[in-house]
Each structure stands twice: as structure tokens, then as C-alpha cells.
Amino acid sequence: MMGLLKRDLALAIRAGGGFGLSLAFFLIFTALVPFGIGPETGRLSEIAAGLLWLGALLACLLSLDRIFQLDWEDGSLDLLATSPLPLEALAAIKALAHWLTTGLPLVVAAPILGLILNLPGPAFVPLVLSLLAGTPALSAIGTFGAALTVGIKRGGLLLSLLVLPLYVPTLLFGAMAATRGAQGLDPTPTLALTLGITLGCVALLPFAAAGALRINLR
Amino acid sequence: MALSVTDIACARGPAQVLAGVTFSVAAGEALILRGPNGAGKTTLLRTLAGLTPPLSGTIEHADGAIAYAAHADGLKTQLSVAENLTFWAGVFGAPSITAALDAFDLHDLASRRAGELSAGQKRRLSLARLLVTGRPIWCLDEPTVSLDAGNTARFAAAVEAHLATGGSAIIATHIDLGLPTARTLDITPFISRRLRQDDPFADALT
């Protein structure tokens, strides 16, 4: 299992692996916001927390279709499915690898990009904590969506349509935690809810993803 | 019997492709599957490998006994030959990849990226994976595609060595591999083209 994680991380980092693309998208998205909304710092700082969450969510979405599609195309998904590794573990590791290469860099970059959007001082810690608590759910839900659409040529758009509605609770509570921090309120309850969604997703969705893979590999 | 198949029906998507397939393969035995293009050799092998459940009938073998090799090589082009093999060795818990590199003469290529290999070299790497699985029953789908005569012989030798250690092999192929002890099974009599009976739309379409 560690071997699969190491392989996926190595593939992401090597040429053509797409590591950093989501991060670059996040950066550009955030840099474009002032152009669209206007540079008034007051207006920006009000919506900064929500925008950063939205940007992180969209950046995460970009790389979802690679989770299983590349392995499916070159035939290694069939071989992995016949290996001693349970498909549930495969899905869980794929989600973890996706989070390590996509979600975690977004969490690290978010406070820096918060400066661009004039995020209020007290919101920084809740923002990072809420992203840390919420982005694993994005990867787990995304892995399930990727398992549903594996084998569909150019299924990326369908994957987005399937996954985005499922992202609503995470976005809602994650962004609310950061916003509450910005307003000087206690973010702990919403952080706890975000973490709860993540724990539920991480515990259950690998099984759903494995079921979807089994059907799609037939 | 290493593998025994009794009266199975196999489906590919909504269509039943084969029915009434019965055969068995003993330890140390190789079975060559023959049949025209589209007969259902791949479907049968995917069913044996456990990727597609049979519509009916039983497949008996020890748990985790089957090593499957498909048409696709299943290689990661950004990883080197050794890295590809080491990954599979880790998945299957094999201690070393040296024997696999030996069997398919891959030592000189070990540090090359798989993406830089020729089609035949990729095939050899893909077949070398079988040796690190350590599994007794090989299910191989057209294993000699893109192999030259010398490497086909090398593959046949690897199969012979596998059989000699009590393994078995089921090989779908159109060429003569030169395996003296292999039995041949023509699957043409089992071809059965119809919609699968558990398909909810079967009635609507007939």
C-alpha cells in the first residue's frame, strides 16, 4: 500500500504529472478576483474567506479526472484490481495521494493568497484550519466521482457535474468557519462540522468508490 | 486441479458472449485458448481473473492464485523499468525483481524510462511482471504481441519454467508458442450471442 502511495506521488511530481497545476490555478484565480470585483480593500476583505475556499475547491476539481483515468488508460487499473490490494484500499490511497499533491499545497498557499485579497487578520488561522479540515473531504468525494466516471472518454465535465453538488456541505461549513473568524466570532463549531464531514467521507466513500470501480471494470 | 471451470457463461457489457464453458487446468499444465477474433477469449480471461463475474456456473481456484496480463501493458511511462517492476513486486510482496529482469533480458534497460522503450521491450517488461506476482495461475491475453521470434522463445521458456515449478498457464494466442505439453481449447463451440438474461432491457429489445 505504501508502494502505491509512493508511486502515485512520484508520478505526480515527475514531468507530465500535473503537480503544481492546481496550485497555479489557485494563484491565478485569486489574482484575477480583484480585476473582476474591484480593488477596494473593504469589499475584498469581506468576501476573501469565501473566495479562497471557492478557489481551493475549483483548483481541487481540476485534477480529479486524473485519479483513475490514467491508470485505466494504460491498463494498470485492471492489474491493480486483480492484485492482492483491496479496491477499497486502492481508493483510499488514491484519495490520500490526491490530497497530498493537491489539497495540502492549497492549504499552505491559502494564507499567502489571503494577503492578496486583504483577508482580515483574525481570519487567517480559521481559514487554514478549515481548509486543513475540509480539503480531505474534497479529495475523498472527488475520488468517488472519478471512480464513477472512469472509462468515460472526456468524462471530466461529467465528473465536475457529479462532484460539485456533493461539495456543497464542505464549502458551506469550511467557508463559514473562515468568515466567522473574520467577524471575530468563534469558528470552533463550524470547524468541528467541517471535520465531521471529512471524517464521514474518508470513512465511507472508499467503499462506494470501490463499488463503482468494480462495476466500471466489468 | 489448479483451476476448474464448470459450465460458465460470460458477458461483455449487455451481451452474453460465451456459454457452457467447461474445462480444467492442472498444476504444471498449460492451456492454449483459440478462437477467431471476437470469439470471447478476452472476456473469458477477464472472467477467470475475477474482473467480470460469470453470469452462471462456477470457477474454482485457490484464493489469490491468478495473475492476469491483459492486452494493455499496464506500464507507467514516466517510471523506469526497474521502478515499474519494483512497484509490482511491492504490491505482490515479492522480495526481488532480479529473476524477472533475468528471464526477459531487461538488465540493460533497467534504468531506462518505460516511455522510451519500443513496443516489444514494453511487452517484455509487462510479461516480467508475471514473475514478481509469485502467483501460480497465469491468465495471459495475447502475450506475444510485438515480440520478435527470439523473445517469443524467451517467453515460451519462461512459461516452461513456470510450469516446471508447478504453475499453470491459460494463454489466448493465435501463434504457435512451441510449448510441447500444452493442451489447446477451441472456444468456438461455446460462442453464444444473445442479450444476458438478467438484463432489465432484454425483453424490450427482443
Side-chain angles (χ1 to χ4, degrees):
Chain A
M1 284 170 66
M2 283 308 293
L4 180 64
L5 182 63
K6 267 170 36 195
R7 183 197 74 155
D8 271 19
L9 295 182
L11 286 173
I13 291 164
R14 294 213 181 154
F19 177 74
L21 286 182
S22 299
L23 195 59
F25 173 86
F26 191 32
L27 175 73
I28 293 169
F29 174 86
T30 319
L32 284 180
V33 167
F35 293 113
I37 303 206
E40 295 92 344
T41 49
R43 202 194 297 172
L44 271 181
S45 68
E46 244 174 61
I47 55 170
L51 276 174
L52 285 169
W53 248 99
L54 206 53
L57 186 146
L58 293 176
C60 189
L61 197 64
L62 270 185
S63 50
L64 289 182
D65 64 336
R66 307 176 66 93
I67 294 180
F68 291 118
Q69 195 67 17
L70 296 179
D71 279 346
W72 183 79
E73 278 167 7
D74 65 22
S76 37
L77 195 57
D78 279 345
L79 303 180
L80 280 168
T82 55
S83 79
L85 198 66
L87 280 176
E88 288 78 5
L90 172 75
I93 292 168
K94 286 280 179 183
L96 177 61
H98 179 261
W99 183 73
L100 287 174
T101 54
T102 308
L104 192 58
L106 295 178
V107 177
V108 174
I112 302 156
L113 298 178
L115 293 173
I116 298 181
L117 297 181
N118 199 37
L119 186 72
F124 275 87
V125 174
L127 174 76
V128 172
L129 287 179
S130 69
L131 282 172
L132 204 56
T135 43
L138 303 184
S139 292
I141 296 169
T143 305
F144 170 56
L148 280 176
T149 54
V150 73
I152 300 174
K153 296 267 182 231
R154 283 173 283 281
L157 188 59
L158 177 63
L159 172 59
S160 307
L161 291 179
L162 284 172
V163 159
L164 275 177
L166 300 175
Y167 277 177
V168 171
T170 312
L171 174 65
L172 200 65
F173 290 115
M176 196 190 286
T179 311
R180 281 177 71 90
Q183 294 163 344
L185 301 167
D186 179 16
T188 321
T190 38
L191 275 179
L193 281 167
T194 315
L195 191 62
I197 293 168
T198 293
L199 292 177
C201 288
V202 169
L204 297 177
L205 285 179
F207 294 94
L213 281 179
R214 258 183 213 109
I215 290 167
N216 277 332
L217 287 180
R218 273 182 193 179
Chain B
M1 284 294 133
L3 175 91
S4 127
V5 170
T6 315
D7 195 25
I8 60 164
C10 312
R12 188 177 179 108
Q16 178 173 299
V17 179
L18 294 168
V21 185
T22 301
F23 64 87
S24 61
V25 182
E29 191 181 29
L31 182 72
I32 307 290
L33 294 180
R34 299 235 187 246
N37 289 147
K41 299 184 292 294
T42 297
T43 305
L44 178 57
L45 286 171
R46 287 181 70 87
T47 307
L48 294 179
L51 288 166
T52 312
L55 292 177
S56 62
T58 53
I59 302 172
E60 285 170 51
H61 58 76
D63 270 347
I66 292 193
Y68 174 61
H71 274 278
D73 290 322
L75 305 174
K76 287 294 165 196
T77 50
Q78 300 101 311
L79 299 182
S80 73
V81 169
E83 283 171 326
N84 268 297
L85 270 183
T86 308
F87 164 67
W88 288 112
V91 168
F92 286 92
S96 144
I97 61 166
T98 316
L101 290 173
D102 284 338
F104 289 93
D105 191 26
L106 290 165
H107 275 291
D108 294 342
L109 302 171
S111 56
R112 285 262 292 274
R113 285 198 310 124
E116 295 166 356
L117 301 180
S118 76
Q121 289 169 330
K122 280 183 187 161
R123 191 80 259 202
R124 272 151 65 195
L125 173 53
S126 164
L127 292 170
R129 187 188 60 87
L130 290 167
L131 292 170
V132 302
T133 64
R135 291 188 160 181
I137 307 171
W138 290 359
C139 288
L140 315 180
D141 199 352
E142 311 244 12
T144 54
V145 171
S146 12
L147 289 186
D148 57 27
N151 281 306
T152 304
R154 189 172 269 134
F155 164 70
V159 173
E160 295 266 23
H162 178 63
L163 299 180
T165 57
S168 13
I170 299 158
I171 305 171
T173 182
H174 296 290
I175 66 160
D176 182 16
L177 289 172
L179 295 168
T181 58
R183 277 193 301 137
T184 299
L185 176 73
D186 187 351
I187 63 165
T188 315
F190 304 121
I191 295 177
S192 156
R193 293 283 182 263
R194 63 170 185 191
L195 286 169
R196 46 196 286 182
Q197 291 186 323
D198 60 343
D199 190 296
F201 302 109
D203 288 341
L205 291 170
T206 45

